[in-house]
Amino acid sequence: MITVEEVLTKKQQKEFIDFPLKLYKGNPYYTPPLYMDEKKIFRKDFVYNDMCESVHFNAYKDGKMAGRISGILQRAANEKTGEKQVRFSHFDVIEDEEVAHELLKTVENWAKQIGMNEVIGPLGYSDLEREGLLIEGFDYPATFEESYNYPYYQRFIENYGYQKDVDWTGSRLRIPKDYDGEVDKLAAFVMKRYNLHLGTARNTNEFIKKYADGIFELLDKSYELLYGTVPFTEGMKKMMIDNFKLVIDVKYAAVILDENEKMICFGLAFPAIADAVRPSGGRLTPLTLIRLLKALKKPNVIDLCLIGVEPEWLNRGVSVIISAEMMKMLKRIDYAETNANLEENYAIQNQWKRFDEQKIKRRRCYIKQIGM
């Protein structure tokens, strides 16, 4: 017997958060989010509550926890696109197709009740959340920024009528073995031609103080038309800054300024921390903190998280400056991982052609029309 219940009690909240930790126990590729961050989605002051309405469900089979799912009405996204969509997120399920379909059906019914006619997902509250269903690359560990799922998820979702909406790819980047410094020369030429220079900061606090506003401004401009994005609120900015303070290292950040000190391009990478948080299930135990400090101090891998370019500079070759700075970063580490890049974001996909690129992952967001 399968039942689906809305998550309302503290006990149900704990079951919701703990379920993937049990489902993926012993799986070397699954990387949990921070446990304290997962708990925040149930708080009244959750950062996205001002632009979203959400609901969460647990599925039980014969009285045992068997799956979970969230439904998200992202009002800001719908206002931007003119769509009437609900997103599904936090989708995890045992290998039982009937349970999966009951969870998806429950979100679809909720979407109909609030007047929506499409369901898309997996997609979080914003582009800052984990997004997409892994459909290729199951034998590679998820970065801290990525979700992970078993291969059977794809079959369950597609069998319930969902079709591809967009794909993201993920790559590992290294310095080409035959690298001759051409990218550095091109970067120097572009910087001289347009009188550009690199921003500097002695430490993380100074970097945030000097450049956070410019980064958010560029993110809103350069990400405006990308899939699943929404404008930054003050709450989102504060959340990002709080997260940056924990993981940013000025050695893995590049900011390009014009002659008037206006930011026209930036790139941010973070030391990879997935291996540090994986053993504890995302809980910040004393041992986890020790592993985190070690990973942050001397990383072997970095995760490429954000790149932004002032739209009017897109066709002036400034991306080569970011590539040149990344080449310098790669000299210190084994490789960089790109996380999720939209398949049709040709600007970023072309950026990686300057490197020794190995495409290792593919993620998908699905869409389904639902009757009113």
Side-chain angles (χ1 to χ4, degrees), residues 75 284 292:
R75 290 186 293 268
L284 291 180
L292 274 172

Side-chain angles (χ1 to χ4, degrees), residues 47 50 232-239:
V47 67
D50 59 346
F232 280 92
T233 64
E234 291 305 312
M236 290 168 64
K237 292 178 183 179
K238 182 180 183 304
M239 177 184 68

Side-chain angles (χ1 to χ4, degrees), residues 47 79 120 126 138 143 189 205 239 252 254 317 320 323 332 335:
V47 67
E79 288 171 6
I120 60 171
S126 77
F138 298 100
T143 69
F189 171 79
N205 287 335
M239 177 184 68
Y252 303 108
V320 73
S323 293
R332 305 187 184 104
Y335 61 86

